[in-house]
Amino acid sequence: MMPIVLIGGGGHAKVVAAIIEKTGRYQIVGYTALAAGPAFRDASAYLGDDGALADLVASGRVTGAVLGIGIVNLDTGRVALHRKLLALGLALPSIVSPTAVVNRDVAIGDGTVVMDGVVINPGAKIGECSIINTHAVVEHDCTVGYGSHIAPGVVLCGGVSVGAQSIVGAGACVLPGVQIGERCLIGAGATVTHDLAEPGCYVGSPAVRMAK
Ligand code: JB2
């Protein structure tokens, strides 16, 4: 089993850790975080902040890492961490829950986590470092960009595209063929009926841009 470090120790890490254990493919050596968090009951699982990573790699204690942070932010979030982990020479496997259904002809990028009960249908392409969260449906021929988060219960209908570093909030529905650009935040429960090109926050049914 590949010895891995989980990045983050909060709510998302707690769920990701449970999925990693179910795969039976990785040994979680511990986690790094800004401070000890609730992800593990065992206090010794906290390895310190990311300053500990270089020594963990050099000593051979870990060879891989999994991002266990839900935040998507260009400068401080998952994408910046992804670059840091690659620079340290850590492998970033994609993690797919054994309870997810990933059909044929689906591509999933490194560092992405596909969580429990997800369905991804043929022709879908999921970029690196993304989250396809619990019970989301990603229909045929969808594209999800780098560092994006498809939250629990989202439905992306066939042929939808979600740009890099966007978040589609819990329970939202994106209608067939709709294109969502980079750095868009779609509110929980929204229905996206038309293309959203500009970065911004969109809410409601049909989803409209929130005033700044
Ligand atoms: O640079 C960092 C860093 N920044 C924050 N390096 C490392 N190694 N860890 C970092 N963190 C850690 O992320 C914090 O120390 C903390 O352990 C964790 C954030 O935890 P929190 O529970 O606040 O958020 P989350 O990202 O785990 O979960 C959010 O997103 C999920 C998708 C919550 O909204 C969850 O409810 C949601 N399901």
Side-chain angles (χ1 to χ4, degrees), residues 6-15 31-38 48-50 68-71 76 81 84 131 133 149 152:
L6 190 56
I7 308 299
H12 188 60
K14 186 188 272 191
V15 185
Y31 69 95
T32 60
L34 303 182
D49 65 20
D50 294 335
I69 301 176
I71 309 158
T76 59
L81 280 166
K84 188 192 287 189
I131 303 167
N133 218 324
H149 179 185

Side-chain angles (χ1 to χ4, degrees), residues 11-13 15-16 67-73 78-79 112-115 118 126-136 138 143-156 162-172 174 180-188:
H12 188 60
V15 185
V16 170
L67 279 168
I69 301 176
I71 309 158
V72 178
N73 174 293
R78 293 165 52 79
V79 166
T112 285
V113 181
V114 176
M115 303 185 76
V118 163
I126 315 296
E128 290 180 299
C129 198
S130 297
I131 303 167
I132 310 298
N133 218 324
T134 312
H135 277 284
V138 179
T143 303
V144 175
Y146 177 49
S148 287
H149 179 185
I150 308 303
V154 165
V155 176
L156 302 183
V162 177
Q165 293 176 265
S166 286
I167 302 172
V168 183
V174 186
I180 294 174
E182 297 186 0
R183 300 195 202 202
C184 290
L185 171 61
I186 311 301

